[in-house]
């Protein structure tokens, strides 16, 4: 399968014509969307309420999600740190699925142009199916989710990947989604708002700001584009970085650590994690205050809980209200990479987040909101933050602003960066960081709760770099 995906990703074709056709379809659909989103006060929410006893923000049906409180403690002794925060509780497993089909020897993905109330630009490109359990069991009372049965009743022989993955551990409490890719051979009726896209073209669209949504990126990262022999599948003559990147996809080629050593690194971090979390009522959290239209931290940093009224032109339900999380500032998710013996390695961090089911997951080199550290002393700034933000332009391999999940987060975006370190620069790597090949990173993604959502998005971006010449 990895060879078929590679051929589809790197295969020759009229990319310019494909992009033109896609943008014509997508722009037309987006321009016809008549959705309207407006901020509202909490007392204008319909079907939602703050519980008297806990202060939690809940839906009357008991479904969908709720906003609760969480007390967090990390470290021991003088290094101990405590904080409280709101967090989304959604104890159900959603479905994020992409249908693939081969046309003229090239794998295509059936993608959806989907409006989400939190998208900064309304409509973005999403998977074939993007649905919570409340959606597909009809709690909202809307229409059935198109194409859902392809994933719920898929024969095992057609399943390319099927793995449970986390979402943002800083904002979701133990949230999981089923990331599943299913291949079909029979005819599929293409409904309004859906479009078959070659897998290579889909990765090319990752270079466009706020186009491919978070749910599509995480499913794309699960494509098994890794295996023996890929380094010879396309030599990329004259482009040393792309050749080294493709070599990084090949099984165990040039790796600094074995897969067993990496698994030990992750397991040891989970055992040693000093993060303790205690769910509490939203009304009990310290340092946060509630006004008519938002719940905010006293510093004015981090994020707010707010509410919106939605009038949708192209959704299963045409109107609703809901709470959302809104980040205060633009975040950064970055991989520092370097070529080691002709193989690209990424510098991964093992990171604890309060909402993770297994406490820690593999994360990007840098994952933070820089504005939160603007007044912090140098020793408190995240490692490698200044290196990725101040990198020379010719060492930046990928730099695109992408939106986070628009169903729960309002206009919340991250700048996704891939920066190549200078080859002769000595890099001191702390114990909670590790150099991984892309093959090893992709292998970890095939295991539940091992690689976080930001690192999975960056993995899809790394795959997209095999499409473009870098000049060195």
């Amino acid at each position: 399968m990895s060879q078929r995906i590679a051929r589809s990703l790197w295969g020759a074709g009229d990319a310019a014509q494909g992009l033109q056709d896609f943008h014509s379809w997508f722009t037309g659909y987006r321009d016809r969307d008549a959705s309207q989103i407006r901020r509202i006060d909490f007392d204008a929410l319909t079907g939602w309420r703050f519980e008297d006893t806990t202060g939690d923000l809940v839906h009357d049906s008991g479904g969908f999600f709720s906003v609760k409180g969480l007390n967090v403690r990390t470290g021991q002794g003088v290094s101990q740190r405590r904080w409280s925060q709101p967090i989304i509780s959604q104890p159900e497993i959603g479905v994020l699925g992409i249908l693939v089909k081969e046309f003229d020897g090239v794998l295509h993905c059936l993608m959806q142009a989907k409006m989400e109330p939190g998208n900064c630009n309304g409509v973005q490109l999403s998977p074939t199916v993007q649905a919570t359990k409340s959606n597909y069991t009809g709690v909202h009372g809307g229409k059935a989710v198109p194409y859902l049965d392809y994933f719920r009743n898929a024969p095992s022989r057609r399943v390319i990947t099927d793995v449970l993955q986390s979402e943002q551990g800083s904002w979701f409490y133990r949230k999981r989604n089923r990331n599943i890719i299913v291949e079909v051979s029979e005819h599929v009726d293409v409904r309004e708002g859906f479009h078959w896209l070659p897998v290579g073209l889909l990765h090319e669209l990752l270079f466009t700001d706020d186009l491919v949504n978070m749910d599509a990126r995480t499913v794309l990262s699960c494509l098994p584009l890794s295996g023996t022999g890929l380094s010879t599948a396309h030599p990329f003559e004259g482009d040393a970085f792309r050749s080294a990147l493709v070599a990084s996809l090949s099984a165990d080629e040039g790796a600094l650590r074995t897969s067993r050593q990496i698994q030990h690194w992750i397991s040891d971090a989970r055992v040693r994690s000093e993060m303790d979390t205690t769910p509490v009522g939203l009304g009990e959290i310290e340092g946060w205050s509630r006004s008519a239209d938002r719940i905010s931290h006293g510093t004015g940093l981090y994020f707010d809980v707010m509410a919106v009224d939605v009038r949708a032109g192209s959704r299963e339900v045409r109107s609703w209200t809901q709470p959302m999380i809104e980040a205060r500032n633009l975040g950064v998710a970055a991989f520092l990479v370097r070529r080691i013996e002709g193989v690209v390695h990424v510098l991964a961090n093992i990171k604890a987040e309060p909402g993770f089911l297994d406490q820690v997951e593999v994360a990007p080199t840098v994952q933070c909101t820089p504005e939160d550290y603007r007044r912090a002393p140098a020793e408190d700034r995240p490692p490698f933050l200044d290196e990725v933000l101040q990198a020379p332009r010719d060492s930046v391999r990928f730099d695109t602003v992408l939106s986070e999940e628009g169903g729960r987060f309002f206009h919340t975006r991250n700048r996704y960066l891939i920066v190549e370190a200078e080859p002769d620069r000595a890099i001191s790597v702390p114990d909670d960081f590790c150099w991984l090949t892309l093959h090893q990173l992709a292998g970890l993604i095939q295991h539940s709760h091992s690689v976080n959502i930001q690192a999975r998005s960056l993995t899809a971006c790394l795959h997209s770099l095999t499409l473009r010449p870098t000049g060195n």
Side-chain angles (χ1 to χ4, degrees):
M1 176 54 71
S2 61
Q3 295 283 352
R4 289 178 63 209
I5 296 170
R7 288 195 301 270
S8 296
L9 185 63
W10 305 327
D14 191 346
Q17 183 62 47
L19 281 171
Q20 181 178 335
D21 292 345
F22 163 76
H23 284 296
S24 176
W25 166 78
F26 184 81
T27 301
Y29 184 87
R30 183 189 59 200
D31 290 348
R32 292 191 301 272
D33 181 68
S35 301
Q36 296 181 338
I37 317 297
R38 63 184 180 90
R39 299 170 184 263
I40 58 173
D41 290 350
F42 289 128
D43 62 10
L45 285 167
T46 302
W48 296 83
R49 58 187 169 82
F50 288 99
E51 287 189 327
D52 293 335
T53 54
T54 64
D56 292 348
L57 185 49
V58 300
H59 194 264
D60 291 342
S61 68
F64 298 106
F65 64 95
S66 57
V67 184
K68 300 177 179 288
L70 195 69
N71 288 337
V72 185
R73 178 187 61 79
T74 64
Q76 301 288 338
V78 295
S79 64
Q80 187 177 99
R81 179 171 172 246
R82 296 175 179 269
W83 75 87
S84 298
Q85 64 169 88
I87 199 160
I88 297 173
S89 175
Q90 191 171 356
E92 58 182 40
I93 298 175
V95 175
L96 304 178
I98 292 180
L99 277 185
V100 299
K101 184 178 179 180
E102 193 170 287
F103 294 93
D104 298 325
V106 176
L107 289 173
H108 287 59
C109 301
L110 185 61
M111 305 301 290
Q112 179 182 182
K114 188 178 182 70
M115 186 286 298
E116 293 283 359
N119 289 345
C120 61
N121 53 356
V123 176
Q124 296 187 14
L125 203 59
S126 81
T128 317
V129 167
Q130 176 184 322
T132 67
K133 187 174 182 180
S134 292
N135 290 146
Y136 64 74
T137 57
V139 171
H140 56 33
K143 295 180 291 185
V145 177
Y147 305 109
L148 180 64
D149 284 344
Y150 283 99
F151 303 98
R152 297 186 71 187
N153 302 307
S156 59
R157 68 182 184 279
R158 292 187 171 188
V159 176
I160 294 174
T161 190
D162 188 0
V163 60
L164 295 180
Q165 300 286 13
S166 63
E167 293 203 19
Q168 285 84 350
S170 294
W171 294 335
F172 278 110
Y173 189 67
R174 301 183 177 180
K175 174 71 169 69
R176 297 178 293 167
N177 280 320
R178 185 182 189 184
N179 287 225
I180 180 170
I181 302 173
V182 174
E183 184 174 10
V184 294
S185 57
E186 69 271 22
H187 172 75
V188 176
D189 289 329
V190 179
R191 301 173 61 129
E192 173 72 12
F194 291 80
H195 196 78
W196 287 109
L197 289 175
V199 67
L201 175 59
L202 184 52
H203 280 80
E204 177 69 27
L205 296 175
L206 287 167
F207 290 92
T208 303
D209 287 357
D210 301 311
L211 178 54
V212 181
N213 80 357
M214 185 199 81
D215 299 295
R217 299 193 304 267
T218 179
V219 182
L220 283 177
S221 76
C222 298
L223 275 170
L225 181 61
S226 179
T228 303
L230 289 183
S231 59
T232 60
H234 199 311
F236 295 119
E237 293 179 4
D239 193 324
F241 180 79
R242 290 170 79 196
S243 294
L245 189 60
V246 174
S248 186
L249 288 164
S250 294
D252 299 325
E253 184 169 331
L256 296 182
R257 296 196 189 189
T258 66
S259 296
R260 181 177 298 178
Q261 289 170 328
I262 292 167
Q263 191 58 58
H264 170 72
W265 175 62
I266 296 171
S267 297
D268 190 60
R270 285 175 173 163
V271 170
R272 293 176 181 272
S273 175
E274 296 179 336
M275 177 173 284
D276 290 327
T277 60
T278 305
V280 296
L282 184 59
E284 300 176 39
I285 57 176
E286 298 180 357
W288 298 76
S289 60
R290 185 175 117 199
S291 65
D293 64 345
R294 64 188 56 243
I295 300 171
S296 304
H297 193 265
T299 62
L301 297 174
Y302 312 122
F303 63 90
D304 296 341
V305 180
M306 44 81 76
V308 294
D309 177 271
V310 184
R311 296 291 184 269
S314 56
R315 289 291 298 267
E316 296 86 0
V317 176
R318 292 305 178 96
S319 65
W320 71 90
T321 62
Q322 68 171 92
M324 305 193 81
I325 279 180
E326 179 182 19
R328 282 283 180 141
N329 294 288
L330 181 71
V332 168
F335 266 141
L336 191 65
V337 306
R338 77 181 319 170
R339 281 173 265 181
I340 302 174
E341 301 296 330
V343 176
V344 169
H345 287 65
V346 303
L347 185 58
N349 180 212
I350 192 77
K351 185 178 179 64
E353 296 185 48
F356 283 157
L357 184 66
D358 287 326
Q359 295 195 324
V360 304
E361 294 187 10
V362 174
T365 317
V366 175
Q367 177 189 315
C368 70
T369 302
E371 184 66 20
D372 293 348
Y373 296 90
R374 188 164 60 88
R375 295 185 177 88
E379 61 271 18
D380 290 342
R381 290 174 66 81
F384 307 106
L385 173 60
D386 294 331
E387 179 153 357
V388 300
L389 292 183
Q390 298 170 15
R393 177 169 296 189
D394 61 1
S395 67
V396 177
R397 302 296 177 209
F398 186 93
D399 186 358
T400 305
V401 175
L402 298 170
S403 296
E404 300 310 313
E405 208 275 318
R408 299 292 177 265
F409 309 133
F410 187 78
H411 293 190
T412 294
R413 307 157 78 214
N414 278 308
R415 182 185 177 192
Y416 283 87
L417 285 162
I418 298 170
V419 176
E420 185 174 14
E422 298 175 6
D424 57 349
R425 179 186 177 278
I427 299 177
S428 177
V429 178
D431 290 342
D432 54 346
F433 288 79
C434 179
W435 291 106
L436 306 177
T437 67
L438 192 48
H439 169 75
Q440 291 172 325
L441 185 61
L444 290 173
I445 289 174
Q446 299 303 315
H447 298 278
S448 298
H449 319 135
S450 293
V451 179
N452 78 0
I453 181 66
Q454 292 87 351
R456 297 198 305 274
S457 279
L458 281 167
T459 300
C461 298
L462 279 162
H463 290 161
S464 75
L465 285 177
T466 64
L467 296 168
R468 287 193 171 189
T470 62
N472 58 16

